[in-house]
């Protein structure tokens, strides 16, 4: 149902190398940008909800044979040992204040870590949170956030600049919250990385057929296809984002998965200067546990918010600065996307086959439709998108999805197969998609 224009670039280890100097070249002044989020349909399981297996298929590999998340975890663990962080879970790192006492104080309340990585920025102890300063801080390691980081670093190379770029991602690893399988148009990727085919991007299954059906309860009527998917690909966006993470790293972008941006930082003039990550060690009732640690401040001359649909930080920014009212933005509409990835029998698999549907199981007053994409390795992605302005208060999108899978035109394909992944999320469906500068 969805077609993506995405972007990527080159990557390698050495993710924490960064110069503290700023080149004389500067980008146009913008304090906060709202990057257009990427819409992605998602998954759901027909037999209940087994263990979380999101995006576990074919993770991107680096030249040294390790997955991106493995190599990042190795580098980040070394970094944390230098600044006093202690990893306690796959979803975050907690600050070990005892270790910070060994840091050297350098006047004006600034701490430096003995023997830290060359070029690492200083940490401030003037507030109750430690802080790190960058030239650009990007919230969200999805296609929009990583594309922005990659392009910024490419511009630095073109202009002879050396700007530090940091990407914060709430998922435990890059791609953990990207649940979309989609039909991918590579035009933007061609512009950013003309050599992406030679660089082993996870894009290989070309669209082989494109069908558009109108479903009734028991029949599927073929309609003229409104899409032109010639030259497009059927992909897993999660795999593409992981690959983009390695490309960004190779260019010197620092990526911090497991850190959710929870607060916006302002200066005395009410200008956005950064974000703060979420506190660790908070009980369900809001009380502080013995292991409680404050989040970290990430400050930047430029802030890019690429959180996706209805990102919490983006919503706060839009409300505070009345962005929609100032630009007379259209009313934003949303949908819920539910998706599953199945492994089906070999004789039923047709790599590159694309099917979109309208009609049943939704009624005539409910906007939405379904999609079915044949991926590689006997996998298919099937999902249902339901607009969230549906009028029937008893409508259950998950139950409608179960009905869809039992349609006579779809059920035979899934019989004998098994669910590999599932999930659901909101999608941007309409309204002015905008990226605005906050003065």
């Amino acid at each position: 149902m969805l077609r993506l224009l995405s972007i990527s670039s080159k990557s390698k280890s050495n993710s924490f190398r960064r110069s503290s100097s700023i080149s004389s070249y500067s980008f146009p002044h913008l304090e906060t940008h709202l990057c257009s989020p990427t819409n992605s349909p998602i998954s759901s399981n027909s037999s209940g909800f087994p263990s979380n297996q999101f995006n576990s298929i074919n993770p991107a590999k680096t030249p040294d044979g390790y997955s991106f998340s493995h190599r990042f975890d190795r580098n980040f663990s070394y970094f944390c040992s230098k600044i006093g962080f202690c990893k306690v879970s796959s979803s975050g790192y907690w600050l070990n204040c005892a270790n910070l006492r060994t840091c050297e104080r350098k006047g004006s309340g600034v701490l430096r870590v003995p023997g830290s990585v060359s070029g690492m920025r200083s940490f401030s102890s003037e507030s109750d949170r430690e802080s790190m300063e960058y030239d650009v801080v990007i919230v969200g390691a999805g296609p929009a956030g990583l594309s922005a980081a990659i392009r910024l670093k490419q511009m630095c190379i073109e202009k002879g600049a050396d700007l530090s770029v940091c990407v914060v991602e709430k998922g435990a690893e890059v791609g953990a919250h990207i649940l979309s399988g989609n039909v991918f148009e590579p035009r933007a990727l061609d512009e950013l990385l003309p050599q992406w085919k030679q660089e082993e991007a996870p894009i290989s299954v070309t669209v082989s057929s494109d069908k558009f059906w109108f479903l009734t309860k028991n029949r599927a009527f073929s309609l003229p296809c409104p899409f032109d998917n010639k030259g497009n690909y059927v992909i897993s966006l999660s795999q593409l984002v992981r690959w983009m993470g390695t490309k960004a790293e190779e260019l010197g972008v620092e990526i911090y998965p497991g850190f959710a941006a929870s607060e916006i930082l302002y200066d005395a003039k009410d200008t956005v200067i950064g974000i703060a990550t979420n506190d660790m060690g908070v009980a369900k009732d809001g009380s502080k546990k013995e292991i409680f640690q404050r989040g970290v401040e990430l400050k930047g001359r430029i802030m890019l918010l690429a959180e996706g649909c209805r990102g919490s930080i983006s919503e706060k920014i839009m409300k505070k600065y009345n962005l929609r009212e100032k630009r007379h933005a259209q009313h934003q509409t949303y949908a819920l996307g539910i998706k599953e990835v199945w492994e089906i029998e070999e004789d039923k698999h047709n790599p590159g086959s694309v099917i979109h549907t309208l009609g049943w199981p939704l009624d005539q007053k409910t906007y939405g439709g379904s999609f079915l994409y044949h991926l590689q390795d006997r996998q298919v992605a099937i999902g249902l998108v339901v607009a969230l302005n549906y009028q029937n208060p008893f409508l259950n999108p998950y139950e409608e999805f179960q009905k869809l899978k039992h349609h006579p035109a779809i059920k035979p394909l899934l019989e004998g197969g098994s669910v590999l992944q599932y999930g659901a999320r909101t999608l941007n469906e309409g309204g002015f998609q905008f990226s605005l500068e906050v003065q």
Side-chain angles (χ1 to χ4, degrees):
M1 206 100 194
L2 302 167
R3 298 160 51 171
L4 248 295
L5 290 179
S6 216
I7 12 189
S8 306
S9 182
K10 202 89 171 118
S11 124
K12 184 85 179 162
S13 308
N14 200 19
S15 60
F16 296 102
R17 177 182 55 79
R18 177 160 50 81
S19 171
S20 60
S21 62
I22 300 176
S23 168
S24 57
Y25 174 79
S26 61
F27 292 100
H29 178 73
L30 52 154
E31 296 298 340
T32 305
H33 269 252
L34 305 180
C35 291
S36 298
T38 301
N39 292 344
S40 333
I42 322 305
S43 21
S44 151
N45 183 7
S46 60
S47 58
F49 289 89
S51 60
N52 187 346
Q53 300 174 1
F54 288 144
N55 312 311
S56 59
I57 303 169
N58 299 330
K61 298 288 186 180
T62 61
D64 58 8
Y66 291 103
S67 68
F68 168 73
S69 59
H70 178 278
R71 182 162 56 79
F72 177 84
D73 186 66
R74 180 182 60 192
N75 290 348
F76 194 57
S77 296
Y78 170 75
F79 165 67
C80 291
S81 69
K82 290 296 184 181
I83 64 172
F85 277 82
C86 176
K87 182 178 178 183
V88 294
S89 71
S90 62
S91 60
Y93 292 82
W94 291 350
L95 189 62
N96 185 338
C97 293
N99 291 347
L100 282 175
R101 297 191 188 101
T102 65
C103 296
E104 301 172 2
R105 184 168 297 277
K106 296 292 184 179
S108 302
V110 174
L111 296 177
R112 290 194 180 276
V113 183
S116 61
V117 180
S118 176
M120 185 61 67
R121 300 267 175 146
S122 61
F123 292 74
S124 172
S125 61
E126 292 177 354
S127 66
D128 58 342
R129 286 187 292 221
E130 301 304 318
S131 68
M132 300 175 66
E133 293 185 359
Y134 292 84
D135 296 312
V136 182
V137 175
I138 299 173
V139 179
L146 290 174
S147 299
I150 289 167
R151 185 59 191 141
L152 281 167
K153 279 298 187 178
Q154 288 180 334
M155 292 173 67
C156 285
I157 295 173
E158 294 168 3
K159 303 294 183 179
D162 187 12
L163 302 184
S164 55
V165 180
C166 163
V167 180
V168 182
E169 166 57 37
K170 64 182 178 181
E173 63 174 335
V174 174
H177 284 210
I178 305 296
L179 308 178
S180 172
N182 57 59
V183 179
F184 177 78
E185 182 180 353
R187 181 172 40 175
L189 188 59
D190 291 337
E191 295 175 1
L192 187 65
L193 283 178
Q195 302 299 319
W196 59 267
K197 292 183 180 179
Q198 291 75 19
E199 295 181 359
E200 300 182 350
I203 303 172
S204 59
V205 181
T206 57
V207 174
S208 58
S209 64
D210 203 357
K211 299 177 181 179
F212 192 66
W213 293 347
F214 178 80
L215 301 182
T216 62
K217 186 174 182 179
N218 296 308
R219 298 190 63 183
F221 296 91
S222 182
L223 300 177
C225 185
F227 307 117
D228 180 13
N229 287 317
K230 183 178 180 180
N232 293 341
Y233 297 81
V234 178
I235 71 166
S236 164
L237 190 60
S238 174
Q239 293 179 23
L240 178 61
V241 166
R242 287 191 181 101
W243 179 80
M244 290 174 66
T246 66
K247 301 297 136 182
E249 246 199 331
E250 286 179 2
L251 291 170
V253 176
E254 297 183 18
I255 305 175
Y256 299 113
F259 290 91
S262 61
E263 181 184 344
I264 309 165
L265 304 178
Y266 303 92
D267 63 10
K269 297 180 180 179
D270 216 24
T271 300
V272 176
I273 59 171
I275 56 95
T277 62
N278 54 310
D279 295 335
M280 301 293 182
V282 180
K284 291 183 178 180
D285 61 1
S287 61
K288 299 178 181 179
K289 299 180 180 179
E290 293 181 359
I291 56 175
F292 172 81
Q293 296 294 341
R294 289 284 276 154
V296 178
E297 294 180 351
L298 297 172
K299 298 180 179 180
R301 294 196 301 141
I302 298 174
M303 294 294 303
L304 290 170
L305 304 184
E307 300 175 283
C309 180
R310 288 195 64 82
S312 58
I313 299 296
S314 301
E315 289 294 320
K316 292 176 181 178
I317 290 288
M318 287 189 285
K319 183 176 181 180
K320 179 177 179 63
Y321 294 106
N322 299 316
L323 297 184
R324 289 192 175 277
E325 292 77 5
K326 288 181 179 179
R327 300 303 176 99
H328 305 289
Q330 297 174 349
H331 175 67
Q332 181 69 59
T333 58
Y334 304 95
L336 177 68
I338 304 173
K339 176 194 142 192
E340 292 176 351
V341 175
W342 283 67
E343 184 177 73
I344 62 173
E345 296 175 349
E346 182 68 36
D347 59 345
K348 300 177 183 179
H349 187 233
N350 182 18
S353 174
V354 172
I355 300 173
H356 294 104
T357 79
L358 293 175
W360 191 89
L362 303 179
D363 58 42
Q364 296 182 358
K365 296 182 180 180
T366 305
Y367 171 80
S370 74
F371 58 91
L372 197 157
Y373 306 146
H374 286 247
L375 309 171
Q376 59 185 357
D377 301 326
R378 295 169 44 207
Q379 296 169 17
V380 296
I382 179 172
L384 178 69
V385 176
V386 182
L388 290 178
N389 64 346
Y390 55 82
Q391 300 178 25
N392 179 4
F394 299 103
L395 185 146
N396 184 324
Y398 178 76
E399 291 180 356
E400 300 304 300
F401 183 45
Q402 306 313 308
K403 294 178 184 177
L404 171 72
K405 291 185 292 184
H406 287 82
H407 190 277
I410 296 176
K411 182 178 178 180
L413 177 70
L414 302 179
E415 285 182 324
S418 58
V419 178
L420 301 178
Q421 300 173 321
Y422 59 91
R425 61 159 293 174
T426 55
L427 312 170
N428 291 318
E429 281 297 326
F432 182 45
Q433 306 293 311
F434 60 95
S435 181
L436 298 178
E437 178 176 347
V438 180
Q439 302 294 343

